[in-house]
Amino acid sequence: MFKKRIRLNTSKLSVVLYGALIGFLTGIVVSVFRWTIEKLLQFVQALYVDISHGNITVIFFLMIVNFIGFLIVAWLLNKEPNISGSGIPQVEGLLLGELKINWWSTLCRKFISGIVAIGSGLMLGREGPSIQLGASIGQGVASYRRLSHNQSKGLIASGAAAGLSAAFNAPLAGVMFVLEEVYHSISPFVWVSALTGASVSDFVSTVLFGQTPVLSVGHLSVFPVQLYGLLLVFGIILGLFGFLYQKVLLFSLNCYSKIKVPKYLYGMVPFTLVIPIGILWPNLLGGGNNLILSLKETPMTMKMIIVILLVRFVFSMISYGSGLPGGIFLPILTLGALSGSLMAHIFVYLHLMSANYALNFIVIGMAGYFACIGKAPFTAIILIFEMVGSVTHILPLALVSLVAYLVIDLLNGAPIYESLLERLLKRKSVYLTMSSMTTTEVPVLAGGILEDQQIRDLQLGSNSLITLVKRSEHVLIPKGDLVLRAGDIIYIRASQNDTRLIRNQISVKN
């Protein structure tokens, strides 16, 4: 009888352990971040309600508080420019090797500035900052353990997924967002680490906030198949509206850049304008989570929805364009929900459908709008599924997301975070790394041009080298006659300055 020795494969065990550690730390940090913002925003909204009840003296108090808040955020931005905006473009640049970021400085300053800016009622989201906080924690763990650059990227991605998971209680969406929007490829090291981090982070936030979905809208009626034509119309409109959002957001950044003051002082504009908006519509302040829930509870006329939609659209541009720490993730979902509510009103008014399906349009609108603006339909579908907690709307979500995505793609709209990253790199060329080398993982997709090609046929430039090819659990030496198969992962060694060009070149071919 032969005794075959069993060999344990522990290659991914360390990845899981690192991911669990990062998920735990991120879950705590982001949960505190989320809780503090919610409480501060509730306090600020209560002050604005007092003003509407005739307590005029509160206005002067708010003016002083907002000015102090502006000074705090401006000082932090001046000390650490990488905390501006959502932080997602910075995370993408870090993973591509095109940005050098001090993780501790970013973590501390983003945490404080995000609370002040978002908690003051500006129409910014907490999700982007949560992703950057998680990525900073992942970078910190990698730095402490002195891991290689390639291993560090996996932990940064794990932290990013954990950040979104804790912000929304959506672990699967956190993983998908990293793979689809941030990392742009499926690496076993990355997805195992990201899934572990997102799961642990979600567990921590669930313990603190409970198991109720973030956007618990209740029961959704099953949408009739015979009304799917309305979904096609809605998807087209969302795609056009999403294209407008992309253009206006980039335009707002250009407008601010023409102001002849230091960039960290741009925040004075939204910190000032939020006061009259808060006096008139205190419930519109913040990222929009409560506003989305109120669309179900509070009946609104079509005219009221249009006014709210315009106010949210314009002021979210003013808020984000200023470069203040805060994201566009939740504001995009809010605009999508408002668009869905408006379209539902129109269809009901035209007697094309029953008012019983209005809530469906609110939910579907969130997914479709984010799918086209971020050009991340899978993330949008999974995110709304996890946030709402209902599976009856998966097919309508997929249909509208696909149509909206195709519309904006036909208009040559780029993923918004990619566009923001390009602007960031142009502005911060001082942070580009020119000499260090990094390893890029490129998957071979089924049906792609890379499939069935020999290594010698790949034209990657003289400053890059294919170091190995991974096929399932086997490592292959990249000889010239090696034929690539679907599912293979190519490891390419190149300067960090060339990494992004190589990835873009191969992704087009693949």
Side-chain angles (χ1 to χ4, degrees):
M1 181 180 291
F2 295 96
K3 292 184 178 180
K4 187 175 181 179
R5 187 177 179 182
I6 299 176
R7 299 179 61 184
L8 298 178
N9 181 5
T10 60
S11 60
K12 292 186 177 67
L13 182 59
S14 62
V15 177
V16 171
L17 294 177
Y18 278 130
L21 174 62
I22 293 169
F24 178 74
L25 296 175
T26 301
I28 294 175
V29 171
V30 172
S31 293
V32 174
F33 182 72
R34 172 179 164 183
W35 182 86
T36 308
I37 288 174
E38 289 178 357
K39 296 303 178 183
L40 179 58
L41 183 59
Q42 290 173 5
F43 173 72
V44 169
Q45 287 177 320
L47 292 178
Y48 282 113
V49 171
D50 281 348
I51 295 174
S52 65
H53 291 164
N55 193 351
I56 307 299
T57 57
V58 178
I59 296 179
F60 301 101
F61 174 73
L62 277 170
M63 292 175 64
I64 296 173
V65 170
N66 273 23
F67 183 68
I68 294 174
F70 159 71
L71 292 178
I72 293 173
V73 175
W75 181 78
L76 293 171
L77 277 169
N78 186 35
K79 293 294 183 180
E80 182 54 77
N82 282 310
I83 64 173
S84 66
S86 69
I88 294 175
Q90 288 89 331
V91 174
E92 290 188 14
L94 183 63
L95 287 171
L96 288 172
E98 300 208 42
L99 288 177
K100 280 186 175 180
I101 296 178
N102 184 316
W103 71 270
W104 178 248
S105 173
T106 300
L107 177 65
C108 296
R109 290 181 167 90
K110 187 77 169 194
F111 184 87
I112 298 172
S113 61
I115 289 174
V116 175
I118 304 171
S120 297
L122 304 183
M123 294 180 188
L124 298 167
R126 64 175 184 256
E127 297 69 32
S130 298
I131 290 172
Q132 189 175 23
L133 291 174
S136 297
I137 292 173
Q139 184 186 0
V141 172
S143 176
Y144 178 77
R145 296 296 300 167
R146 298 182 179 179
L147 301 180
S148 67
H149 179 75
N150 207 40
Q151 291 174 314
S152 298
K153 290 197 297 183
L155 299 194
I156 293 170
S158 174
L164 182 58
S165 175
F168 273 144
N169 289 112
L172 296 181
V175 176
M176 182 55 67
F177 182 76
V178 166
L179 298 178
E180 187 177 30
E181 179 64 35
V182 177
Y183 202 75
H184 300 295
S185 68
I186 301 177
S187 161
F189 180 85
V190 172
W191 77 255
V192 170
S193 178
L195 181 59
T196 305
S199 300
V200 174
S201 178
D202 178 58
F203 175 79
V204 173
S205 63
T206 299
V207 170
L208 296 175
F209 293 100
Q211 294 182 310
T212 303
V214 174
L215 295 177
S216 180
V217 296
H219 175 71
L220 289 176
S221 302
V222 178
F223 200 79
V225 176
Q226 58 268 29
L227 296 181
Y228 272 38
L230 300 180
L231 297 180
L232 293 176
V233 175
F234 187 34
I236 293 172
I237 293 174
L238 280 179
L240 296 173
F241 189 36
F243 184 73
L244 175 66
Y245 182 96
Q246 290 183 339
K247 294 301 180 183
V248 175
L249 183 65
L250 297 177
F251 175 74
S252 69
L253 294 170
N254 292 331
C255 290
Y256 272 106
S257 65
K258 296 177 181 179
I259 302 177
K260 303 302 181 181
V261 297
K263 293 181 175 62
Y264 58 85
L265 297 179
Y266 292 167
M268 176 58 88
V269 177
F271 265 108
T272 302
L273 294 180
V274 73
I275 295 177
I277 293 176
I279 294 173
L280 295 173
W281 304 288
N283 292 331
L284 299 191
L285 300 181
N289 184 75
N290 292 330
L291 177 58
I292 294 173
L293 295 175
S294 71
L295 291 175
K296 173 195 173 185
E297 305 295 339
T298 307
M300 295 186 185
T301 64
M302 193 182 306
K303 184 182 296 185
M304 186 183 303
I305 294 174
I306 293 174
V307 171
I308 294 174
L309 182 61
L310 290 175
V311 172
R312 290 282 316 186
F313 185 88
V314 173
F315 194 63
S316 65
M317 298 297 171
I318 295 173
S319 298
Y320 188 83
S322 67
L324 288 173
I328 55 176
F329 211 120
L330 187 54
I332 287 175
L333 297 181
T334 304
L335 292 174
L338 288 167
S339 301
S341 181
L342 178 60
M343 289 304 301
H345 273 73
I346 293 174
F347 288 144
V348 171
Y349 178 78
L350 296 175
H351 303 290
L352 296 176
M353 74 172 197
S354 167
N356 294 331
Y357 305 118
L359 186 58
N360 295 66
F361 270 78
I362 293 173
V363 172
I364 294 169
M366 289 189 285
Y369 201 50
F370 182 80
C372 65
I373 293 175
K375 300 196 79 172
F378 289 103
T379 299
I381 295 169
I382 295 174
L383 176 65
I384 300 305
F385 160 67
E386 290 187 292
M387 289 178 65
V388 175
S390 173
V391 297
T392 60
H393 55 285
I394 293 296
L395 184 56
L397 278 180
L399 178 61
V400 173
S401 297
L402 177 61
V403 173
Y405 175 90
L406 290 176
V407 169
I408 206 166
D409 195 59
L410 288 172
L411 296 172
N412 292 315
I416 189 61
Y417 293 115
E418 186 176 300
S419 300
L420 294 173
L421 174 61
E422 290 178 0
R423 289 181 57 91
L424 180 66
L425 295 180
K426 289 178 182 178
R427 193 176 77 236
K428 293 190 174 184
S429 58
V430 66
Y431 288 98
L432 293 178
T433 56
M434 305 299 292
S435 58
S436 57
M437 302 291 288
T438 182
T439 299
T440 301
E441 302 174 17
V442 178
V444 179
L445 305 181
I449 296 180
L450 291 182
E451 186 180 12
D452 297 330
Q453 280 208 45
Q454 291 184 333
I455 292 292
R456 64 166 60 96
D457 296 329
L458 301 182
Q459 299 178 356
L460 304 177
S462 58
N463 295 322
S464 59
L465 175 68
I466 297 178
T467 57
L468 61 89
V469 175
K470 191 171 183 180
R471 181 170 296 168
S472 185
E473 297 298 325
H474 303 287
V475 176
L476 307 179
I477 298 175
K479 296 181 179 180
D481 59 353
L482 176 64
V483 178
L484 297 174
R485 303 300 183 195
D488 288 352
I489 298 178
I490 310 171
Y491 290 78
I492 303 173
R493 189 75 171 167
S495 67
Q496 292 185 1
N497 199 39
D498 294 336
T499 297
R500 187 162 175 248
L501 296 176
I502 293 172
R503 187 185 293 275
N504 290 340
Q505 174 189 350
I506 294 182
S507 64
V508 170
K509 291 182 178 180
N510 211 14

